[in-house]
Amino acid sequence: TGSSKKETKAVRRITFDDVAGQEAAKREVGELVDFLKDPERYSRLGAEAPRGVLLMGPPGTGKTLLARALAGEAGVAFYHTSASEFIEMFVGVGASRVRKMFDEAKERAPSIIFIDELDAVGRVRGTGLGGGNDEREQTLNQILSEMDGFSGHEAVIVLAATNRPDVLDPALLRPGRFDRHVTLELPDRKAREAILKVHTRKIPLAEDVDLSLLAASTPGFSGADLKNLVNEAAMAAARADENAIRMGHFDEMRDKVMMGSVRSLAIRP
Ligand code: ATP
């Protein structure tokens, strides 16, 4: 998965309709659509461009999806990278990759940069086990200096995702850097039903399927878990050579997913 993720790329147009639930987060991020569509209208009035947005929340709650949807809604270029990859690089490579990505994004502005797993490079500096990791610190410093290097009017918005906001270096959160914070929550029953609806839009469902009931029986499932559940149920139906997913397929796969997560918790050291 690593190599496809680290490439910057244009993606199929995803919109806020693809993001179920997360109404508050959609509203906050949605405020940036108008700016990205017509940044000149803002700069003419001397308004400083919004810069960094930190998306916080547990894994699989749709942080990446929401960033993509913002790019889709505004119709702008999207640059995606995962910070965890930088720390595996040779010293200097991470920083130069960051520089290159910001240069490209500025050239193609208005645009969006998305940095997934920001905490991988963004932990408080100088506290790494065994003395800091040079590559990590250089990469973090480069991100900070790129964010400071904007003139104020470039229409490049930098979104970053983390599920560990508590470990981030406070330097990242200063004004002009990641100063807007948007929280995504695990979905409640209603949101889980909405997510199931999104992911079964193009899937044939048997008449006995009750997504509301399924939502009620999947507490703790993230959006990513629900998407996975739909896919597993579709696979089960296909294996059984049926032409629609029945409630039984969902129930069976939900129990498997739940058992699976219990087991993986049990063997964790
Ligand atoms: P991570 O922290 O693990 O990177 P994330 O918060 O970025 O996770 P995504 O990668 O956006 O989560 O979610 C994975 C997939 O789960 C999405 O591509 C989408 O198919 C599905 N998904 C997650 N949340 C939602 C949602 N609110 N509505 C619809 N689909 C969702």
Side-chain angles (χ1 to χ4, degrees):
T1 61
S3 60
S4 70
K5 254 189 146 185
K6 76 189 169 204
E7 297 301 319
T8 55
K9 60 188 173 187
V11 288
R12 150 185 104 73
R13 200 175 171 103
I14 290 172
T15 69
F16 288 144
D17 282 344
D18 294 299
V19 188
Q22 307 295 4
E23 299 306 329
K26 274 198 272 186
R27 208 175 319 112
E28 287 173 70
V29 170
E31 286 174 9
L32 302 168
V33 173
D34 190 55
F35 166 77
L36 285 167
K37 278 187 170 164
D38 188 4
E40 280 80 27
R41 183 151 47 83
Y42 287 74
S43 60
R44 272 200 300 273
L45 292 170
E48 262 194 30
R51 195 55 69 208
V53 182
L54 187 64
L55 305 175
M56 307 181 287
T61 43
K63 299 182 288 297
T64 308
L65 186 66
L66 187 63
R68 286 219 156 104
L70 173 61
E73 291 281 343
V76 302
F78 184 74
Y79 295 89
H80 180 182
T81 190
S82 181
S84 64
E85 289 162 15
F86 291 131
I87 42 180
E88 283 145 33
M89 292 179 180
F90 295 112
V91 173
V93 176
S96 77
R97 280 271 299 280
V98 167
R99 196 177 316 122
K100 191 160 164 264
M101 184 173 66
F102 275 79
D103 285 348
E104 277 179 35
K106 281 187 223 171
E107 244 164 61
R108 286 188 59 191
S111 58
I112 290 173
I113 290 176
F114 176 65
I115 305 173
D116 203 0
E117 300 179 81
L118 180 66
D119 45 281
V121 295
R123 282 168 186 263
V124 179
R125 282 168 288 184
T127 59
L129 292 172
N133 172 323
D134 280 352
E135 187 50 24
R136 191 185 71 79
E137 292 208 357
Q138 284 190 17
T139 306
L140 172 57
N141 288 336
Q142 189 64 35
I143 291 172
L144 293 173
S145 94
E146 293 290 345
M147 306 248 349
D148 293 343
F150 285 110
S151 70
H153 293 304
E154 287 112 327
V156 178
I157 293 183
V158 188
L159 289 95
T162 183
N163 40 40
R164 291 297 310 276
D166 53 309
V167 302
L168 290 181
D169 193 312
L172 278 164
L173 309 178
R174 288 206 196 112
R177 294 174 178 167
F178 295 98
D179 51 10
R180 291 182 179 221
H181 300 168
V182 175
T183 304
L184 287 87
E185 313 274 1
L186 276 177
D188 61 12
R189 195 200 59 74
K190 229 180 103 212
R192 290 197 298 275
E193 185 176 346
I195 293 169
L196 287 166
K197 278 198 180 128
V198 164
H199 288 283
T200 52
R201 273 191 304 216
K202 290 174 191 151
I203 286 185
L205 299 178
E207 282 199 352
D208 72 335
V209 170
D210 183 341
L211 294 182
S212 157
L213 203 62
L214 188 58
S217 67
T218 45
F221 277 50
S222 68
D225 294 333
L226 293 166
K227 180 202 171 166
N228 187 29
L229 173 61
V230 170
N231 190 52
E232 291 292 334
M235 301 273 287
R239 272 196 302 272
D241 202 15
E242 300 197 34
N243 50 23
I245 307 182
R246 285 181 293 100
M247 196 63 176
H249 296 127
F250 281 117
D251 287 338
E252 183 194 334
M253 289 305 148
R254 178 207 51 227
D255 293 347
K256 257 197 177 156
V257 170
M258 284 177 151
M259 296 282 288
S261 65
V262 168
R263 204 175 310 132
S264 68
L265 281 177
I267 59 169
R268 212 164 276 163

